[in-house]
Amino acid sequence: MKARVTVLGSGTSHGVPMIGCSCDVCRSADARDRRSRASIYLDVDGGPKLLVDTSTDLRQQALTHGIMRVDAILFTHSHADHVMGLDDSRRFSQMQKGAIPCYADASTVASLRRSFYYVFDPASEKGGGLPQIELHTIDGRFAVDGLVIQPIPLMHGERPILGFRFGDFAYMTDTNRVPEQAWPLLDGVQTIILGALRHRPHPTHFTVAEALGVVARLQPRQTYLTHICHDLPHAATNQALPPGVELAYDGLTFEIEAARSLAQATEGRQWT
Ligand SMILES: [Zn+2]
Ligand SMILES: [Zn+2]
Ligand SMILES: [Zn+2]
């Protein structure tokens, strides 16, 4: 089952350019140096259309990439840059005339209920339209309209968060450690998107060198680094990366082989 991945946003929480900064990258004329907040869209052939995270820039991302449908939303964690676009999902629930299922771990579900309290309050003013979402707490592999999704436990500083594997592709942003139990779940992955903030160390994000350590162990065919800050100019950084590794950029698209059934997902691979 083929699917197309679109990188909607490849930037760190501030975005690039960053407010009030006049560094070379923030003033760059290269469109790939303009990074909105991190998110991807997954369009499965004849299957569901998924958002991973509702970034602060969701509205502009949806307009830029002509997103017409969202059948489900997966959340990696509840940091503001990954959830604050949730209110804009109401356009999709309006157009689709139904609630959008959202999948997240227990702590993110609890946090979404607090941050978007008005969505879950029956007394809320409905005049302007509220997002209609159905929150589902996930604790292991699940499926959306036949698409098998494997959550990948990751550490983001002290905070456990989720990456997601879809067939031969895994999305892992906002992490600085892949815990032992995650490695078997990533066995045989061919394409990854992996967070790499900058070269200087950071307490909750991989540096480029640390991300390359993950790549060396996983050996995917292709890696795209994401959640990038203004320290990394696109063209110059790419030149210094090893073969099969490049920086993601807003609008990057590629094809993956998604898994349709649990049997297919586990075929020849150790997923558990
Ligand atoms: Zn983030
Ligand atoms: Zn800057
Ligand atoms: Zn984060």
Side-chain angles (χ1 to χ4, degrees), residues 18 21-23 26 230:
M18 182 166 74
C21 186
S22 55
C23 76
C26 285
H230 64 162

Side-chain angles (χ1 to χ4, degrees), residues 159-180:
R159 175 191 285 244
I161 70 154
L162 297 179
F164 295 103
R165 178 175 182 167
F166 312 89
D168 67 1
F169 162 66
Y171 181 66
M172 298 180 280
T173 187
D174 289 64
T175 178
N176 64 337
R177 190 162 67 83
V178 179
E180 275 316 308

Side-chain angles (χ1 to χ4, degrees), residues 77 79 82 156 174:
H77 65 306
H79 277 162
H82 299 262
H156 183 22
D174 289 64

Side-chain angles (χ1 to χ4, degrees), residues 7-16 32-39 55 57 61 81-82 171 173-174 196-197 205 225-230 248-250:
V7 174
L8 300 179
S10 57
T12 188
S13 61
H14 289 294
V16 181
R32 297 167 304 177
D33 284 324
R34 301 188 76 82
R35 302 172 180 133
S36 63
R37 267 58 75 85
S39 175
S55 93
D57 296 310
Q61 291 168 340
D81 49 325
H82 299 262
Y171 181 66
T173 187
D174 289 64
L197 184 70
H205 292 277
L225 303 179
T226 195
H227 211 283
I228 309 158
C229 87
H230 64 162
Y249 55 89
D250 292 22

Side-chain angles (χ1 to χ4, degrees), residues 89-254:
S89 74
R90 67 199 155 108
R91 263 306 284 152
F92 297 105
S93 45
Q94 276 170 0
M95 290 191 289
Q96 295 160 204
K97 299 184 172 36
I100 300 175
C102 296
Y103 300 87
D105 65 19
S107 109
T108 300
V109 164
S111 178
L112 289 170
R113 284 189 185 281
R114 288 194 301 274
S115 301
F116 297 93
Y117 67 93
Y118 60 94
V119 172
F120 306 101
D121 176 3
S124 289
E125 176 61 59
K126 297 213 166 40
L130 289 173
Q132 292 174 53
I133 60 174
E134 264 168 27
L135 289 175
H136 298 271
T137 303
I138 48 174
D139 179 22
R141 194 183 301 170
F142 64 106
V144 173
D145 299 344
L147 171 73
V148 176
I149 301 165
Q150 172 66 57
I152 307 290
L154 298 171
M155 293 307 294
H156 183 22
E158 296 298 305
R159 175 191 285 244
I161 70 154
L162 297 179
F164 295 103
R165 178 175 182 167
F166 312 89
D168 67 1
F169 162 66
Y171 181 66
M172 298 180 280
T173 187
D174 289 64
T175 178
N176 64 337
R177 190 162 67 83
V178 179
E180 275 316 308
Q181 68 269 32
W183 293 97
L185 303 174
L186 293 165
D187 197 34
V189 81
Q190 296 292 314
T191 307
I192 62 171
I193 296 182
L194 181 62
L197 184 70
R198 61 190 190 191
H199 293 304
R200 290 177 294 131
H202 189 278
T204 64
H205 292 277
F206 279 137
T207 62
V208 171
E210 289 165 343
L212 293 178
V214 173
V215 173
R217 178 162 170 188
L218 269 185
Q219 305 248 318
R221 214 171 36 214
Q222 181 66 46
T223 300
Y224 299 103
L225 303 179
T226 195
H227 211 283
I228 309 158
C229 87
H230 64 162
D231 286 8
L232 303 182
H234 187 91
T237 306
N238 261 353
Q239 274 175 17
L241 291 172
V245 182
E246 24 185 310
L247 295 189
Y249 55 89
D250 292 22
L252 167 72
T253 69
F254 54 89

